[in-house]
């Protein structure tokens, strides 16, 4: 069974301030985040339209590639 992007993202939460851990920490506090989604376009659209905590979509794109690799 594949896990959602959100579930993968939650494994990256950490107190240290890397771009990835900050994104994960912020997403964990976002009650509207599409938690069950495995769809790139659904999540990227949500982030572009609603998530002011992600300053650069490049971070999401890199993490999405890692998510895909991790879910093989």
């Amino acid at each position: 069974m594949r896990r959602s992007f959100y579930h993968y993202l939650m494994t990256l939460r950490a107190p240290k301030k890397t771009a990835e851990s900050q994104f994960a920490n912020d997403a964990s506090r976002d009650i509207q985040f599409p938690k069950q989604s495995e769809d790139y376009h659904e999540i990227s659209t949500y982030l572009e339209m609603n998530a002011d905590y992600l300053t650069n979509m490049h971070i999401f794109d890199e993490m999405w590639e890692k998510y895909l690799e991790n879910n093989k």
Side-chain angles (χ1 to χ4, degrees):
M1 181 176 157
R2 288 179 48 119
R3 61 182 169 174
S4 70
F5 177 74
Y6 180 82
H7 185 263
Y8 169 73
L9 193 58
M10 292 302 99
T11 66
L12 303 175
R13 290 181 294 165
K16 62 183 178 177
K17 299 287 184 180
T18 65
E20 291 84 6
S21 67
Q22 188 62 48
F23 174 33
N25 293 340
D26 291 339
S28 74
R29 293 186 290 273
D30 182 354
I31 61 173
Q32 299 292 320
F33 195 95
K35 293 177 175 63
Q36 303 304 318
S37 182
E38 298 174 20
D39 182 73
Y40 173 86
H41 296 291
E42 178 184 6
I43 298 169
S44 65
T45 299
Y46 172 80
L47 291 170
E48 288 173 352
M49 303 300 285
N50 301 298
D52 60 352
Y53 53 82
L54 187 60
T55 58
N56 188 336
M57 286 300 288
H58 185 67
I59 296 166
F60 167 68
D61 290 335
E62 288 179 354
M63 293 179 75
W64 182 263
E65 291 301 319
K66 292 177 184 176
Y67 162 71
L68 294 177
E69 188 66 32
N70 190 272
N71 269 341
K72 280 188 175 180

